Amino acid sequence: MQKHCLACESEASPLLRLENLSVHFRRDGGLLPAVRDVNLTLYPGGITCLVGESGCGKSLTARAILRLVPETAVISGRVLLQDTDVRTLPERALRRIRGRRVGMIFQEPMSSLNPVLTAGEQAAEPLRLHLGMSRAEARRETERLFAEVGIPSPHSRYEDFPHQLSGGMRQRVMIAMALACRPELLLADEPTTALDATIQGQILRLIVTQSRDRGMAVLLITHDLGVVAQVADTVGVMYAGHLVEHAPAGELFAAPLHPYTRGLMHSAPSRNSMQLDRLPTIPGSVPSLENMPAGCPFHPRCAEAIPRCAEAMPPTFVRGAHATACWLAAQPSRDAF
Amino acid sequence: MPGGVAKPEGPLLALKDVSRAFGVRRGWLGEQRRLIAVDRVSLDVSAGESLGLVGESGCGKSTLGRLACGLLAPSSGQVLLEGRALPLAGARSWAAGRIQMVFQDPFSSLNPRMSARAAVAEPLAAQGVPRAEQRRRAEEMLATVGLDGLGGRYPHEFSGGQRQRIAVARALITRPEVVICDEPVSALDASVQAQVLNLLRDAQERFGPAYLFISHDLAVVGFMCRRILVMYLGQIVEEAAREQLFAGAAHPYSQALLASMPTGASRKEGELLPPPLEGELPSPLNPPPGCRFHPRCPKAVGICRREPPAWKELAPGWRARCHLA
């Protein structure tokens, strides 16, 4: 796929390259594909959003980067963190990357935090483990981080257990923990989905500013196009395991090329929906892994499908910085393009 | 309302100064405290209209929904259906079947051992409708919601969107006059949300129930409802027609909700997000004095910290509870 960068100078070298990343699940003696040949490049300081519906493989893509996948999953392809192929690293070496060069935050901060350790103790753990800080040093640094991510009275919050914190505060603790070792890459899987609208805005703003200030690359996974619109520099749209469209955010929102992307955008209620009598919809529902249609997996739901769509998965057509895996994107005669 | 029923004077469903408190104990032997989840709420729902109720989690909107259909009794105040006090929900009550509810989670709101047909027919069974008629009407209603011929299947055989269709069919089968929809699409995938919202609109055109539509999502409420109530920490803080609200909400909390709404366009390159609302929803165990929103309000002045604001009429049908409105 194309190499470009919006938030940073264009000469910056890529931080992470996914090359034909695939994830299959072993089931009943066979392999079920869940992520298929994803190609994606992340640059320092840039925020890339992967968007799609449940089961499209977006979370699995992010988790496969650090091999945080179920035991039945088989990962193939290359995961290049600068020049290291993380996919083939031994577990020990990988553990030195997790939490140090690559930080992670997940959707449900309650289940990702240890309920019997105080917020401060666990946020300080990566500092002690990876950077070898003493207990006192780690505490000082953690309280500084707490303040940085907007946790009020960090000194006393350090002693709080997770259940004493609100959802928004827990997510801030998770972010402080993920940022502790100054990672080059932050993987954020639905970081605001469990939070309310006004708190969501606070957390997204925090992620954007931290990415800018630290030159940290962010891969943010979400089902919510509203979140994408607010934070993304580049966007990847996933459907049924495939990256079906990838483009700079402005371009994607102004001129989406894949019929699925267009369908998602039109069906999402916005402030303009009140004039509508009915919302535009995508018929049907997302296919399950076991019942993947042949050809382009979206063709049974696609209003624009042509016979070819049922026969073969389209390759990725690239125009400038805009990549689309759709047969229609190959037809220059269509006025939409 | 379907024709034939005499139009009563006044609203179909009315809440008058309704409050609901819960006893909360912190820890095993902790002291018992009163949490006021809904605090003196008044609202009217007219026959056939859609009234939206929007607010964040913990603001009391779901409790309000349960009060409005008789699943919970108010601690004080009155819930009136056609002017009569609504009894707690029960098959033998005079109000049975007249107010129904659609819940958020289609995975836990359906009995896994009941076929779709049985789930949809259950409210009729409770009313003593003969079996053959139950079955016929359930099949008919399933066809109406787009599940023709699938009545013999069980919940696990359906997708989330289909389960929510079953829940809608079950709510409509008694031809209710009011349906309380509590976050009916929040658990669904984006592409399926729109289908279910359209279905709710179709159902309203066909059967004519009024909706009390509860959601955290202002865009969804704006599509479904002409009139919108904004709730914060147990109280209604603004009531307006959606056009008024979207064009220029009067309450700073409504303004913040509007600002966090997707616009359908992406942020300009290099542009930062609009400054979000500071702070968090305070605990309803210990609501702030004065205006409950003042600790988070970017516009708060002295009086906001001292005195709870009274309702201010801004235009017919538009009012806000803000000193500065």
Side-chain angles (χ1 to χ4, degrees), chain A residues 93-291:
Chain A
L94 188 58
R95 251 180 270 144
R96 284 195 295 270
I97 290 180
R98 287 184 192 141
R100 181 168 187 171
R101 295 184 62 192
V102 182
M104 296 156 284
I105 23 177
F106 300 107
Q107 174 173 354
E108 218 333 290
M110 196 59 209
S111 53
S112 335
L113 288 170
N114 185 337
V116 299
L117 288 180
T118 68
E121 279 165 357
Q122 42 198 318
E125 202 174 86
L127 294 168
R128 312 226 320 129
L129 188 75
H130 290 302
L131 305 184
M133 285 189 187
S134 72
R135 194 174 286 273
E137 277 173 330
R139 174 156 191 164
R140 259 199 312 281
E141 175 64 12
T142 303
E143 286 176 9
R144 197 192 59 71
L145 276 164
F146 275 11
E148 194 175 331
V149 299
I151 297 176
S153 39
H155 189 72
S156 57
R157 290 281 124 174
Y158 189 94
E159 313 273 358
D160 279 351
F161 288 93
H163 74 267
Q164 294 170 296
L165 302 170
S166 69
M169 280 304 145
R170 282 182 213 137
Q171 203 55 294
R172 286 174 199 271
V173 170
M174 289 296 297
I175 293 174
M177 198 186 314
L179 297 177
C181 298
R182 308 200 154 268
E184 298 147 76
L185 171 65
L186 178 68
L187 303 177
D189 189 359
E190 301 271 10
T192 59
T193 304
L195 305 175
D196 279 315
T198 58
I199 309 295
Q200 169 169 300
Q202 296 172 1
I203 298 293
L204 291 178
R205 196 177 159 96
L206 175 63
I207 291 173
V208 172
T209 48
Q210 289 291 331
S211 160
R212 289 280 148 76
D213 298 351
R214 295 162 177 254
M216 175 178 72
V218 177
L219 182 61
L220 191 143
I221 311 299
T222 180
H223 70 284
D224 186 343
L225 279 169
V227 169
V228 176
Q230 290 183 63
V231 303
D233 297 311
T234 53
V235 187
V237 180
M238 289 190 75
Y239 186 79
H242 294 274
L243 187 63
V244 295
E245 186 161 7
H246 182 228
E251 218 177 302
L252 188 95
F253 279 92
L257 293 183
H258 199 285
Y260 175 64
T261 312
R262 286 205 292 268
L264 265 190
M265 284 181 182
H266 295 152
S267 65
S270 72
R271 55 191 310 160
N272 304 321
S273 307
M274 66 175 169
Q275 288 117 17
L276 301 175
D277 187 41
R278 294 290 184 276
L279 291 169
T281 58
I282 305 175
S285 54
V286 178
S288 67
L289 284 186
E290 292 84 0
N291 296 313

Side-chain angles (χ1 to χ4, degrees), chain B residues 95-139:
Chain B
R98 296 182 63 179
I99 306 181
Q100 295 284 13
M101 201 150 175
V102 176
F103 296 95
Q104 171 173 1
D105 185 0
F107 295 86
S108 61
S109 64
L110 290 175
N111 183 338
R113 298 188 191 189
M114 224 183 235
S115 68
R117 187 190 306 118
V120 172
E122 203 185 16
L124 293 179
Q127 292 183 345
V129 173
R131 263 177 173 271
E133 194 188 335
Q134 280 178 36
R135 195 187 162 95
R136 185 183 58 75
R137 283 172 62 183
E139 291 288 1

Side-chain angles (χ1 to χ4, degrees), chain B residues 139-158:
Chain B
E139 291 288 1
E140 227 175 73
M141 192 53 85
L142 280 167
T144 306
V145 299
L147 298 174
D148 204 359
L150 302 179
R153 296 202 188 169
Y154 287 81
H156 72 270
E157 298 175 80
F158 292 102

